[in-house]
Amino acid sequence: MKFVLEVALDEGALKDDPVAELGRILRYWAGNVRHYPLRPGDRSDIYDSGYRDVGEWRVVASGEAASREVAS
């Protein structure tokens, strides 16, 4: 099983300040992940500080493809 976190660094607030924005996203999800059972198929969209969809996290089976295109 894999935990996959994908964030587009060239979109939304991440484009303007990727270090600060990615830090905010990682802190938020580090604290929030305890609310999920973390089984294959679990997922959630990831939003920047302007509430724009910039990625997702998901749990996949070990052999499952891990790539996703983020909508702009």
Side-chain angles (χ1 to χ4, degrees):
M1 185 165 68
K2 295 179 188 178
F3 179 87
V4 180
L5 177 91
E6 285 191 77
V7 178
L9 297 176
D10 57 352
E11 296 190 20
L14 285 143
K15 185 176 180 180
D16 299 330
D17 191 352
V19 172
E21 194 65 21
L22 185 57
R24 186 197 67 78
I25 288 168
L26 291 172
R27 284 189 303 277
Y28 177 82
W29 282 107
N32 199 39
V33 75
R34 71 176 186 268
H35 298 291
Y36 296 87
L38 297 182
R39 295 183 299 240
D42 287 349
R43 64 162 301 283
S44 184
D45 291 329
I46 294 175
Y47 299 94
D48 67 7
S49 57
Y51 300 103
R52 290 172 291 253
D53 183 351
V54 293
E56 74 173 10
W57 68 259
R58 63 195 170 287
V59 178
V60 298
S62 293
E64 190 175 330
S67 184
R68 169 194 183 241
E69 281 296 315
V70 177
S72 34

